[in-house]
Amino acid sequence: MSIMEHNGAAMIAMAGADCVAIAADTRFGLRQQTVAVDFEKVFRMTDKTYVGFGGLATDVQTLRAALRFRLSTYELKEERVMKPKAFANLLSHVLYEKRFGPYFVEPIVAGLDDDGKPFLCGMDLIGAPVFCGDYVVSGTCTPNLNGMCEALWRPDMTPDELFEAISQCLLASVDRDALSGWGAIVHVITKDGVTSKRLKGRMD
């Protein structure tokens, strides 16, 4: 089993009409053994930028702390809030710096830029980015997530429609993956703020 699959994860970010959502499961496991069902994988970086990490849990927490430090330093020096695209570039550089002994994570960045347009970006473990206009997935059940997103995503969804679509995609996908699931959390980002909701999933 790959080190990327050791703890299990399922993660989606999806774009709507002037809104964006990011969702992840909450299972923390050691291969097939479930250890906890409240493990955070999606983190708030700024009011309109969230990042999710699928991969090795220790590296998730290490990278989160490193990014918070870099973000705080940027805001002190520049006296402004970092935009989602700038944050994605920062994350890409942080990952590439460690390319010979990488963080075993595959991040997803989701946010809204200054004019309210959705920003989605996925990366591999050395920071090679892919920018998407519809959705991006990460984790141990990416084939399932891709199939569900292709079926349910459509352009210009409202925040409520986006929440429903991303929730159904995630819950249906983790039901077919032994390494992820056991509940989920969804963050919907709009120009007015962020709505976070927890989902109940199958516990078997």
Side-chain angles (χ1 to χ4, degrees):
M1 179 181 284
S2 163
I3 192 69
M4 299 292 291
E5 299 174 354
H6 188 70
N7 299 122
M11 202 168 302
I12 316 173
M14 196 177 275
D18 300 328
C19 58
V20 67
I22 184 167
D25 72 317
T26 54
R27 178 185 181 271
F28 168 66
L30 299 175
R31 299 190 180 179
Q32 277 79 21
Q33 178 186 7
T34 299
V35 177
V37 295
D38 58 354
F39 185 71
E40 292 288 329
K41 298 169 189 173
V42 177
F43 307 106
R44 175 188 169 278
M45 291 290 117
T46 71
D47 288 343
K48 293 187 178 178
T49 306
Y50 276 64
V51 63
F53 300 115
L56 192 63
T58 51
D59 284 352
V60 168
Q61 294 177 328
T62 303
L63 191 53
R64 175 198 183 189
L67 286 170
R68 285 208 186 282
F69 170 74
R70 297 278 189 113
L71 204 61
S72 299
T73 306
Y74 176 92
E75 288 175 1
L76 280 170
K77 280 184 177 179
E78 299 289 327
E79 297 183 353
R80 59 194 169 112
V81 176
M82 189 178 284
K83 296 174 185 175
K85 189 168 185 179
F87 177 77
N89 287 329
L90 168 68
L91 176 54
S92 180
H93 282 95
V94 168
L95 292 171
Y96 193 70
E97 280 175 4
K98 299 282 188 182
R99 62 191 176 280
F100 299 116
Y103 293 113
F104 293 107
V105 295
E106 290 180 340
I108 288 176
V109 179
L112 291 179
D113 57 23
D114 285 344
D115 56 358
K117 297 299 178 190
F119 175 85
L120 297 178
C121 177
M123 294 176 203
D124 66 1
L125 72 171
I126 59 167
V130 56
F131 301 101
C132 305
D134 45 9
Y135 61 85
V136 61
V137 301
S138 176
T140 52
C141 62
T142 50
N144 305 350
L145 292 166
N146 271 314
M148 286 303 302
C149 289
E150 283 177 8
L152 296 183
W153 182 84
R154 62 184 195 278
D156 299 327
M157 286 187 284
T158 66
D160 289 340
E161 291 170 337
L162 187 62
F163 169 76
E164 191 65 30
I166 200 170
S167 301
Q168 293 297 334
C169 287
L170 190 67
L171 292 175
S173 299
V174 298
D175 281 352
R176 291 157 183 80
D177 178 40
L179 300 177
S180 59
W182 289 65
I185 186 163
V186 181
H187 305 281
V188 181
I189 308 163
T190 67
K191 65 181 188 302
D192 300 319
V194 180
T195 305
S196 301
K197 295 181 183 178
R198 291 196 173 269
L199 307 177
K200 282 191 175 181
R202 286 177 57 164
M203 297 287 187
D204 58 356

